[in-house]
Amino acid sequence: LTVDDEVLQRSDANYFEAWKTLVSAGPNSEIIYDDDGSGLFIVCSGQPSISVYNVAFVTKPLASDPTPAIETAVEFFRDRNIPGLLCVRDGLDRRCDDAAIRTFGLKLSSQKPGMVLSPIPDNITHHDSVSSSSSSSSEEDLDISVIQSDDEIDDFAQIADAAFGMPNGVTRQLTTQSTLRQPGAKFFLGRVNREGGKKPVAVATSVLIRTGNVAGIYYVTTDVNYRGRGFGERMVRAAIRAGVDEGCDMACLQASVLGRRVYERMGFRVAARYNNYDVPVVKRK
């Protein structure tokens, strides 16, 4: 393997594990592992209103005929009458992309850049370190802490739902005390102080999912009223720092349109693109 091949595999593995961690606590969640070596890993929240948490990941090049594996994914979601996504890293298996479009009529709904930071430079880890209490910097007052209480989970979920356009309550259903206790997971909340001694307001989030020596960064969000102040970057730095403290030498994430320029400025580079094909709900006769 070349270094880039190894980086891609480590990044993929983190992505798959992260989605399992973020979804598995839901009341209707199902995780279908690739026990048969088919190259299909299904993470399903059971949410009927949004597909992003119902994902069938293609984890490796499929067999000579990719149709049976894709059919399994499509039927899995349709049997449950919920929308889903088929996620294939661009270039992993062109036949899979072709079959999704031509055989099953699936539409490409998004192509998310997978970005990596390898190795992690020192200047990333020397900014906004974080502990289980809190930290602040000399810049605009932002306190970053590791989420522990149910009230903090509530704040996290409200910010995430609003930032990602989720139906209200979806993130809270999937994020519980059990989620916080998952191995390698740390959830972060950023707060700003208010004048007059009022209770600080939660404005930003991030999540670290560590797999081996890889720090996966997820749920990077900032309240719309507090954007443009560098809070998102500082939340990312805090999560990476926590990963480095646990031995990580590489960071990865999937970038939004808003976040990509910030990540590039931090040194992240696009290593892959993940093709997401919609599996819509089909009314059966």
Side-chain angles (χ1 to χ4, degrees), residues 25-58:
N28 300 310
S29 295
E30 296 179 76
I31 311 296
I32 310 299
Y33 293 93
D34 181 22
D35 293 332
D36 60 359
S38 66
L40 200 64
F41 175 50
I42 300 176
V43 178
C44 178
S45 68
Q47 288 288 336
S49 57
I50 190 166
S51 61
V52 69
Y53 292 127
N54 304 321
V55 185
F57 292 100
V58 175

Side-chain angles (χ1 to χ4, degrees), residues 84-227:
L85 294 174
L86 177 71
C87 180
V88 189
R89 172 162 48 82
D90 195 40
L92 179 67
D93 190 337
R94 297 290 186 191
R95 299 163 309 137
C96 184
D97 292 271
D98 290 343
I101 296 171
R102 296 177 182 176
T103 304
F104 294 92
L106 305 184
K107 294 182 179 180
L108 182 64
S109 61
S110 66
Q111 192 177 58
K112 297 174 63 175
M115 305 187 76
V116 299
L117 185 64
S118 178
I120 298 172
D122 289 342
N123 70 309
I124 294 292
T125 59
H126 291 165
H127 187 98
D128 271 353
S129 61
V130 67
S131 69
S132 59
S133 56
S134 67
S135 67
S136 61
S137 82
S138 59
E139 299 171 330
E140 185 171 358
D141 193 12
L142 179 72
D143 291 329
I144 302 173
S145 61
V146 176
I147 293 175
Q148 297 178 333
S149 71
D150 285 338
D151 286 345
E152 290 173 322
I153 296 176
D154 290 342
D155 288 340
F156 171 90
Q158 288 175 9
I159 296 169
D161 280 347
F164 292 131
M166 301 286 187
N168 189 41
V170 167
T171 302
R172 187 61 178 91
Q173 289 179 30
L174 300 178
T175 311
T176 67
Q177 286 291 335
S178 175
T179 315
L180 302 188
R181 293 192 295 269
Q182 291 294 308
K186 276 191 171 71
F187 287 64
F188 300 90
L189 194 64
R191 300 181 180 89
V192 294
N193 293 319
R194 295 189 291 177
E195 295 180 357
K198 295 180 180 179
K199 181 182 176 181
V201 59
V203 300
T205 68
S206 64
V207 171
L208 165 70
I209 303 293
R210 180 179 58 80
T211 52
N213 293 335
V214 178
I217 312 302
Y218 300 88
Y219 271 112
V220 180
T221 67
T222 302
D223 184 290
V224 66
N225 296 311
Y226 291 86
R227 290 177 183 170

